[in-house]
Amino acid sequence: MAKKEYSFYPGCSSERKASASNYMVSVEAMCKTLDVKLNEIPDWNCCGASIGYAEGGELPRHIMNARNIALSESNNPGQDIVATCAACWLGTKETQERVAHSGELLADINSILGAAGLKYEGRQPVRHMFEVLIEDLGYDALKQPVVKPLEGVKIAGYVGCQTNRPFGVAGESFENPKYLDKLTEIMGAEPVEKYDQKVTCCGGALAFSEPEKSQAQIKKIIESAYDFGADMIVTPCPVCQMNTEVYQGQINKKYGTKFNIPVVYYSQLMTVAYGGTAKEAGLDGNIIRATKLEEIAAKK
Amino acid sequence: MSNLNTAMVERYRNDFLKEVEANVEMGDWVKMCMQCGVCSGSCPLGPYWEHPPQELFMMIRAGKRDEVLKSEAMWMCTSCYNCIVRCPRELPITHIMHGLASYAHRLGLAPKMNPTRRFSVIFWRNIAKTGRVNEMELSLRLYFMDGFVKGVKKGIEMAGVGLGMLRTGRLNPFGLFAHKGCKGKQDIQKMLKHAHEIEAKRKQFA
């Protein structure tokens, strides 16, 4: 397989000792197997996330993303920008789209970036890792390295919001995207086809500010996975992962439920199926251990 | 009432729609709403909105300035983008809700104690300082935003979550001091200051 290279925007939650550090560990292992080279954008900054809107305003928010794009263009020229975090992808792509439609915004951005010796052109496509997997590599290439099919593991594919809306993956529907289930199936596991909360909002940043309202959402997402017999939930989004995993204890206390279901990243499934160790798959980063995956990873 | 608010009231008199079009992100889309209500029915936190989006759009047209800008409604937006992809008129509703909230905050009309408004401020200041999120500082500031006693109580409530994150290496116990952020943090601070100035000038906030 020919080596593919991308300009990589990992995002704040993927930093060492940050909330999605285990996502990053598994992405590295997955990309190594697939011969995908990720060139990190030097000194990248936060995308502003969605929640920064009130204090940040418009132009400052776009400046955060424009700086990343400019740094990418000067350091990793000619490469597509790839993000693993839904919010990073959305923020960057949104800024690029806005600038493309406004000469005034482009001029403002370049006058601000210019003072720091940077220039924005906005020519590199901004893509999600999932697009790279499906569009550039394709399902066949993703299946090829599977040495330990995840047999007998039933998985609810929780796509969430920002990986899916407003941009999403080309050719997939907003209401019932199939790519996560398809990937799960290719890894030899059994996707829970009937799982009906795959694009339900977990509350996002409001899990911090409106915990009760968000936890009511999270409860629905987890309950449905149990209802349809899932052993675990898989997601592509760091916020979805955290919200659906770490609040299970609090939800149990409030609602008298007995939730204890692991929530993993697609890259963790892939790393295990590709023969990686539990450590390479970042499984030690899951608070609710994905024992079924750990067992498969431990098999010779 | 802030000076900016007084200035805006005088400038636009009774034309609140015009004020929204000129000052709110994507505000020029408001008049396109045909009141179908798909946005309100699609919102995950729909039942909690004081006025659902389509109602806000009509209130803007009816000139209900105070009722809209002082409302808790748009602070319920989780940024899930369900309304955007379902709106038959393709209004960028999520962005309009963010824009309304941000404008109300800027004018000093937004509800002071609204938790999402306060979290947004904490979050933005966190990233503007070093260019990257410092998760430990972010959590502590959030827990202690109502003072020490409530902070300790919240800390105990959240201890299980925090310990889980620490145990699995997903929270840096020394994050308050050890988190370095971007090398170019001073550049970033300058850029943000510059951006705020340009935006204020363009929107005649200054």
Side-chain angles (χ1 to χ4, degrees):
Chain A
M1 198 189 306
K3 194 175 199 112
K4 291 189 187 296
E5 279 193 63
Y6 299 91
S7 181
F8 183 45
Y9 177 29
C12 299
S13 65
S14 73
E15 282 197 287
R16 221 175 65 80
K17 297 252 178 209
S19 54
S21 50
N22 59 329
Y23 184 16
M24 201 54 238
V25 168
S26 59
V27 164
E28 275 167 15
M30 171 190 84
C31 285
K32 202 174 155 201
T33 304
L34 294 170
D35 211 5
V36 166
K37 191 170 176 233
L38 300 175
N39 303 311
E40 189 168 327
I41 299 173
D43 208 40
W44 53 264
N45 54 257
C46 175
C47 66
S50 300
I51 192 64
Y53 65 83
E55 179 80 351
E58 275 184 82
L59 189 55
R61 218 174 64 227
H62 292 312
I63 273 297
M64 294 295 269
N65 289 304
R67 179 178 176 271
N68 288 331
I69 294 172
L71 284 170
S72 170
E73 286 177 321
S74 59
N75 290 284
N76 302 325
Q79 296 168 18
D80 290 3
I81 298 173
V82 172
T84 36
C85 165
C88 294
W89 176 54
L90 170 59
T92 314
K93 203 171 156 89
E94 208 164 84
T95 292
Q96 196 184 56
E97 210 173 64
R98 293 275 179 99
V99 181
H101 288 96
S102 166
E104 184 181 85
L105 186 54
L106 177 65
D108 284 347
I109 277 175
N110 271 328
S111 85
I112 295 167
L113 291 180
L118 292 169
K119 188 168 185 278
Y120 178 100
E121 290 190 53
R123 290 216 186 104
Q124 293 172 317
V126 180
R127 308 176 67 204
H128 191 282
M129 177 58 83
F130 235 104
E131 293 180 292
V132 168
L133 295 179
I134 298 170
E135 293 163 6
D136 296 5
L137 297 168
Y139 291 109
D140 288 344
L142 299 178
K143 190 176 182 169
Q144 209 196 348
V146 174
V147 289
K148 284 183 183 169
L150 311 176
E151 274 158 14
V153 188
K154 286 177 85 173
I155 304 180
Y158 175 47
V159 181
C161 297
Q162 297 192 349
T163 314
N164 184 46
R165 299 181 298 262
F167 299 115
V169 171
E172 294 278 356
S173 88
F174 294 128
E175 309 292 340
N176 187 15
K178 302 275 193 189
Y179 54 91
L180 193 52
D181 286 345
K182 215 162 165 181
L183 186 84
T184 306
E185 197 172 7
I186 280 173
M187 295 305 129
E190 187 188 328
V192 179
E193 302 266 355
K194 282 188 176 165
Y195 180 55
D196 58 7
Q197 302 290 328
K198 66 162 74 160
V199 295
T200 299
C201 178
C202 69
L206 271 69
F208 294 102
S209 57
E210 299 276 6
E212 282 178 18
K213 298 179 181 79
S214 298
Q215 286 178 16
Q217 290 292 113
I218 297 166
K219 180 172 171 276
K220 279 194 281 188
I221 294 162
I222 295 171
E223 212 156 48
S224 171
Y226 272 115
D227 284 349
F228 294 110
D231 298 311
M232 63 185 71
I233 295 172
V234 63
T235 180
C237 170
V239 176
C240 293
Q241 196 285 333
M242 188 168 99
N243 281 352
T244 51
E245 182 184 41
V246 308
Y247 297 115
Q248 289 188 30
Q250 297 202 342
I251 292 171
N252 288 343
K253 238 183 250 166
K254 181 161 184 212
Y255 293 95
T257 45
K258 289 178 183 160
F259 293 162
N260 191 39
I261 191 167
V263 185
V264 300
Y265 293 106
Y266 63 91
S267 46
Q268 295 186 292
L269 293 183
M270 292 170 75
T271 302
V272 173
Y274 290 169
T277 63
K279 199 169 167 51
E280 284 166 333
L283 291 176
D284 53 355
N286 290 71
I287 295 173
I288 299 170
R289 304 300 284 248
T291 39
K292 287 209 172 179
L293 289 185
E294 287 182 10
E295 282 162 16
I296 296 173
K299 260 193 261 168
K300 289 286 172 210
Chain B
M1 227 186 267
S2 73
N3 292 338
L4 180 58
N5 185 46
T6 317
M8 289 301 185
V9 170
E10 274 173 24
R11 184 179 306 151
Y12 294 99
R13 300 285 165 181
N14 290 324
D15 202 339
F16 184 42
L17 176 62
K18 207 168 168 189
E19 180 180 350
V20 168
E21 286 174 337
N23 297 292
V24 170
E25 182 168 353
M26 298 282 159
D28 51 347
W29 279 87
V30 168
K31 60 178 174 294
M32 294 296 292
C33 171
M34 62 180 187
Q35 293 292 303
C36 73
V38 164
C39 51
S40 311
S42 302
C43 179
L45 296 194
Y48 305 107
W49 287 59
E50 193 182 354
H51 308 289
Q54 120 258 10
E55 203 171 297
L56 287 174
F57 294 143
M58 191 49 105
M59 288 165 74
I60 292 169
R61 282 191 261 187
K64 296 197 177 293
R65 188 177 188 274
D66 268 19
E67 288 95 323
V68 170
L69 294 176
K70 290 181 181 171
S71 172
E72 306 259 357
M74 53 275 188
W75 298 98
M76 291 296 149
C77 174
T78 63
S79 311
C80 80
Y81 290 81
N82 234 340
C83 52
I84 285 200
V85 301
R86 287 183 182 170
C87 175
R89 285 265 173 104
E90 299 183 10
L91 267 77
I93 302 170
T94 311
H95 300 294
I96 305 172
M97 294 304 119
H98 291 177
L100 280 172
S102 177
Y103 185 55
H105 169 64
R106 182 109 202 194
L107 295 177
L109 295 178
K112 288 276 169 300
M113 297 308 284
N114 181 280
T116 303
R117 187 196 70 80
R118 297 171 82 195
F119 183 57
S120 173
V121 174
I122 292 172
F123 183 85
W124 183 263
R125 289 186 183 159
N126 185 293
I127 61 168
K129 202 157 88 183
T130 70
R132 289 187 190 175
V133 178
N134 181 339
E135 293 181 341
M136 184 53 122
E137 191 194 318
L138 184 68
S139 327
L140 289 177
R141 278 199 193 277
L142 178 75
Y143 298 167
F144 285 90
M145 73 181 180
D146 290 315
F148 185 73
V149 176
K150 282 199 177 160
V152 171
K153 201 173 149 244
K154 183 85 185 165
I156 293 168
E157 212 177 284
M158 298 301 289
V161 173
L163 288 174
M165 297 293 277
L166 283 171
R167 205 181 60 235
T168 50
R170 288 162 60 188
L171 185 63
N172 189 345
F174 308 109
L176 265 191
F177 313 101
H179 186 265
K180 296 212 167 47
C182 293
K183 286 192 206 102
K185 53 173 102 56
Q186 282 171 336
D187 277 346
I188 294 173
Q189 288 165 6
K190 270 187 227 157
M191 286 177 196
L192 291 176
K193 191 167 170 269
H194 195 176
H196 276 294
E197 285 164 8
I198 294 182
E199 183 150 282
K201 211 164 110 190
R202 290 235 183 279
K203 293 195 171 168
Q204 296 175 284
F205 287 163

